[in-house]
Structures are given as C-alpha cells and as structure tokens.
C-alpha cells in the first residue's frame, strides 16, 4: 500500500519546488494585523473598484431564481453582450472565471513541455505561475529601468520553441502602457502575442480592434477592476476566429457561473454608472500621484491604471507597508530582484488619499 511519502513523491517534479503565487488576503484577515477597526480601514492592495459593483448587479443577483441550473457552456448571451461592448465579433470571444482563467486556457491550449513563454518582469505573476504549471519554460526578459520593454533582448530570445509572449498594458505593477508600434513588432516575431488589458478602462486605449487583422494576437480583458466584481470572477479574451473553437473545447464547461453571468449582463446594462466610478478613480489617481510627489523619499511612476507604483528611496518598502498596515491601510510592497523596495498603492475613494498621505507624513 502507498504511504504518505510515496503519494507525495508522485507530485509532478516540476511543481514540487515551484514558487507559490502571492494572492491578496481578505480584509478580515488584514484587519487582524491592524489597530484600526474594519470600517476605518482602506484596502488598497488589490486594484479593486472601491465603489463596488453596479446597484443593478446587486438587485439582479438577489432576485435571480435559477441558481439550481447549470450555466450555458457556450456563453451565448454573455458573448453577445461582450461583442456589443467591445465591437468584436461574438465568435472571437471566450469568457472565463476572471482573466486568470483565460491565461490558463491559452497556455493549456498551446504549451507542451519544453515550449517557451516570454515573460517581462516586473509584471503580473500569473503568467510565469500558469506557464510552470502547464509544463512550459519561462524565459524572463526583464523590463528596462523605466519599465518599458527591452525589445532587442526579446527579439534575441525568440527561437523555434518560443510560442507565447505575455504583455500587460497597462502593466501591473508599473502602470505604463506598451506602444502599439512595439506590439506590431512583436506580432512579426512568429509567436502568439497576448496583450492583457485588465486595466484598459482606466487608460482608454485598447488594441482589441487589431485582433481581426492579426492571426497571432489575443487580447484579454476583465470585469474585476472597472466593473467592481472581482469576487465573482468574470473575464474574457478576444481571440483569432480559428482558435476560439479550440479554446471553447478545452475550457471548463461551466467556467462562467450563473452569478457571474448575471453580473456581466447587468454591468453591461449599466455602463453609464460604471463609467462614472471609473472617471472618479482616474481623477483620484491623479490627485494621489500629485500628493505622493511631495515626499522626497518616494518616486511615484505615472500610471494609466488604477494604482500607482512608487520607488522607496531611503528606507525599506516593507517597513512602510507594515507601518501603513498597523494603521489599517493595506497596500502591496515588492522586494524582488526586478523591484527592490517599491510599494504599490491602489486608488481608493477620495477619503482614502488624505489618510494615506497623513500616514506617510508621520513616517
Ligand atoms: C495585469 C492583470 N491581468 C489579469 C489580472 C487578473 O484579473 P482577473 O480578476 O480577471 O482574473 C490582474 C489582477 O490583478 C492583473 O493585474
């Protein structure tokens, strides 16, 4: 009979020592580490929408009566509504449980053991995480000091095992966008280019219209950031027409659950409301950026998303993070080779900015 060690030894060797993904903790857990009460805290670590979802989503979910049924595996209504929102052909759209799900589907579809995936850190950790789980090999081409892509090194790295490059635009955590001309150059390099537009509603310039003209371009989007339904998991990809049937075939059949379906449809029925919250967050981002510039020991980077990255110049980013956490202000800090001593602050409501600034002034 197998014992516990035998079973543990059966874990795929490539996964035994892989680094875990660092997710954000729920506010109840974070609050236990703070001296402030939950209603006095500011959760600025997940790039979420602090205004919440559309009231129409809330109402539709509480009155929905069909949760005993399985959702539509072909996502018909959702794909039609997404097509109206994006202007894309519904047959080029695949929806998923957050854009994380789409990252996973794309990798499972194309990557065989040993195939290479180019990752440009610092960036979203899910790309190397899902690549490793799929059995692909991560080729890391760090960004330049200003967080733009190192195009010559990317060109040099592409070989006949390279299948995919992931580019977040705006990039998390740096907030900068990739110029369209660079995406065009990447598209000429004989690999699939996945442009992750998770924050595009805050930047205003999307590449979705390029998908129909490029056989190797996939654009990923999400409802987690602008539409305030991160907890319901709703994302989608706009993909080459001939690839979509494969993606639909290999995805989990019911990956858009009924609550997410209701929330997507009602969010898209209430775009004016959601755009107002996006506008408020963009205005607040600009206020936060200016306020952060007053600190000699911080260097904030301009952002096209709903967060701001700051280099911490003469102290430890971890200490800043811990001090803010004590006061009930939850942010992210980074201490890794490509990002030593940086903090990232998500844009909150107007009352959150003075709270952050006052806490930083006390340090
Ligand atoms: C660049 C980027 N892409 C994708 C995601 C994941 O979004 P979703 O909640 O849709 O899985 C995030 C979340 O932080 C992100 O920063």
């Amino acid at each position: 009979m197998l014992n516990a060690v035998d079973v543990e030894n059966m874990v795929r060797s490539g996964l035994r020592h892989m680094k875990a993904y660092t997710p954000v903790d729920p506010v109840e857990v974070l609050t236990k580490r703070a001296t402030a009460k939950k209603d006095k805290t500011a959760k600025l670590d997940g790039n979420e929408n602090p205004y919440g979802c559309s009231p129409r989503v809330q109402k539709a979910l509480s009155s929905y009566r069909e949760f005993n049924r399985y959702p539509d595996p072909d996502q018909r209504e959702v794909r039609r509504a997404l097509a109206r929102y994006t202007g894309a052909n519904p047959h080029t759209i695949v929806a998923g449980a957050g854009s994380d799900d789409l990252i996973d589907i794309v990798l499972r579809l194309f990557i065989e053991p040993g195939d290479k995936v180019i990752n440009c850190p610092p960036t979203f950790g899910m790309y190397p995480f899902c690549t490793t789980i799929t059995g692909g090999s991560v080729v890391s081409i760090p960004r330049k000091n200003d967080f733009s892509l190192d195009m010559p090194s990317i060109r040099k790295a592409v070989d006949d095992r390279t299948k995919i490059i992931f580019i977040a635009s705006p990039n998390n955590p740096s907030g900068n966008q990739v110029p369209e001309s660079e995406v065009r150059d990447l598209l000429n390099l004989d690999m699939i280019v996945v442009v992750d537009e998770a924050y595009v509603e805050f930047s205003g310039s999307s590449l979705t219209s390029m998908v129909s003209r490029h056989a190797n371009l996939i654009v990923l989007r999400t409802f987690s950031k602008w539409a305030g339904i991160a907890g319901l998991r709703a994302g989608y990809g706009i993909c080459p027409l001939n690839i979509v049937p494969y993606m639909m075939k290999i995805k989990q059949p019911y990956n858009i659950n009924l609550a997410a379906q209701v929330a997507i449809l009602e969010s898209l029925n209430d775009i004016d409301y959601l755009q107002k919250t996006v506008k408020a967050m963009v205005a607040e981002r600009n206020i936060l950026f200016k306020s952060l510039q007053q600190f000699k020991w911080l260097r904030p980077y301009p952002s096209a998303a709903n967060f701001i990255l700051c280099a911490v110049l003469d102290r430890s980013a971890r200490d800043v993070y811990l001090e803010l956490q004590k006061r009930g202000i939850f942010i992210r800090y980074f201490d890794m080779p490509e990002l030593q001593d940086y903090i990232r602050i998500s844009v909150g409501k107007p009352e959150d900015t003075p709270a952050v600034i006052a806490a930083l002034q006390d340090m």
Side-chain angles (χ1 to χ4, degrees):
M1 214 168 95
L2 293 175
N3 64 29
V5 175
D6 296 330
V7 175
E8 196 171 338
N9 283 339
M10 288 161 79
V11 172
R12 282 167 50 196
S13 58
L15 302 189
R16 241 180 276 164
H17 304 294
M18 76 171 273
K19 234 178 103 208
Y21 179 73
T22 319
V24 287
D25 283 320
V27 73
E28 292 73 21
V29 175
L30 294 168
T31 305
K32 290 204 181 102
R33 300 177 197 148
T35 46
K37 293 226 164 59
K38 187 181 168 201
D39 60 344
K40 291 271 178 300
T41 60
K43 189 173 182 305
L44 307 175
D45 61 349
N47 305 337
E48 296 144 334
N49 183 332
Y51 297 96
C53 63
S54 146
R56 287 184 64 150
V57 169
Q58 207 86 56
K59 205 163 149 218
L61 283 174
S62 59
S63 60
Y64 193 77
R65 292 284 167 265
E66 305 275 325
F67 288 128
N68 55 324
R69 304 293 175 202
Y70 284 100
D72 175 9
D74 287 330
Q75 312 167 338
R76 293 171 184 84
E77 252 191 292
V78 163
R79 291 164 82 198
R80 275 198 297 271
L82 288 170
R84 283 193 296 276
Y85 175 57
T86 58
N89 172 347
H91 300 292
T92 64
I93 295 173
V94 179
S99 39
D100 289 350
D101 192 20
L102 273 305
I103 294 166
D104 189 51
I105 293 170
V106 168
L107 286 163
R108 282 195 292 115
L109 183 61
F110 291 107
I111 297 302
E112 301 197 65
D115 284 342
K116 295 180 184 173
V117 175
I118 297 184
N119 184 48
C120 301
T123 190
F124 186 44
M126 200 56 77
Y127 314 138
F129 173 78
C130 291
T131 299
T132 305
I133 292 176
T134 321
S137 174
V138 179
V139 176
S140 190
I141 310 288
R143 288 164 179 261
K144 297 193 286 193
N145 285 344
D146 63 356
F147 302 115
S148 61
L149 297 177
D150 180 351
M151 292 295 287
S153 299
I154 292 173
R155 266 186 220 106
K156 233 187 276 166
V158 177
D159 64 19
D160 54 8
R161 289 307 301 266
T162 310
K163 281 204 172 156
I164 302 179
I165 184 168
F166 282 95
I167 305 292
S169 183
N171 184 44
N172 175 11
S174 52
N176 58 318
Q177 292 171 277
V178 64
E180 190 178 317
S181 58
E182 288 185 357
V183 174
R184 287 184 191 284
D185 289 348
L186 294 173
L187 287 165
N188 286 330
L189 291 179
D190 294 345
M191 60 183 167
I192 296 158
V193 179
V194 179
V195 177
D196 180 346
E197 294 191 338
Y199 301 95
V200 77
E201 277 82 1
F202 304 101
S203 79
S205 57
S206 170
L207 299 184
T208 46
S209 66
M210 280 171 66
V211 175
S212 59
R213 283 174 274 120
H214 295 274
N216 55 336
L217 175 62
I218 293 175
V219 174
L220 305 184
R221 312 263 302 251
T222 180
F223 280 68
S224 293
K225 312 300 179 181
W226 72 287
I229 54 169
L232 290 175
R233 315 304 297 126
Y236 57 102
I238 301 172
C239 315
L241 194 58
N242 62 330
I243 297 306
V244 168
Y246 297 101
M247 295 176 71
M248 293 299 286
K249 187 161 69 177
I250 69 155
K251 73 176 182 60
Q252 292 289 329
Y254 307 115
N255 62 340
I256 284 290
N257 68 59
L258 277 175
Q261 174 179 316
V262 168
I264 290 171
L265 297 176
E266 282 307 312
S267 296
L268 294 177
N269 280 333
D270 205 8
I271 289 189
D272 286 351
Y273 170 87
L274 289 172
Q275 275 173 351
K276 268 188 220 145
T277 70
V278 167
K279 240 173 129 179
M281 290 162 78
V282 169
E284 200 55 39
R285 172 185 79 202
N286 299 337
I287 293 169
L288 178 63
F289 182 77
K290 282 210 182 81
S291 311
L292 291 167
Q293 280 181 313
Q294 69 181 272
F295 296 94
K296 287 206 170 60
W297 54 277
L298 285 177
R299 192 192 316 126
Y301 286 81
S303 168
N306 66 336
F307 52 81
I308 292 175
L309 182 74
C310 293
V312 179
L313 299 180
D314 66 0
R315 58 198 79 185
S316 128
R318 186 164 183 273
D319 288 349
V320 176
Y321 155 84
L322 289 173
E323 190 54 41
L324 289 181
Q325 178 177 267
K326 243 195 272 168
R327 296 161 182 251
I329 297 170
F330 309 120
I331 62 166
R332 285 289 290 258
Y333 81 96
F334 302 94
D335 187 14
M336 50 174 86
E338 310 89 27
L339 217 49
Q340 256 169 22
D341 279 319
Y342 283 78
I343 54 173
R344 191 196 67 197
I345 307 172
S346 304
V347 173
K349 287 184 169 176
E351 61 268 31
D352 296 327
T353 305
V356 171
I357 299 305
L360 293 172
Q361 276 165 344
D362 277 355
M363 272 177 219

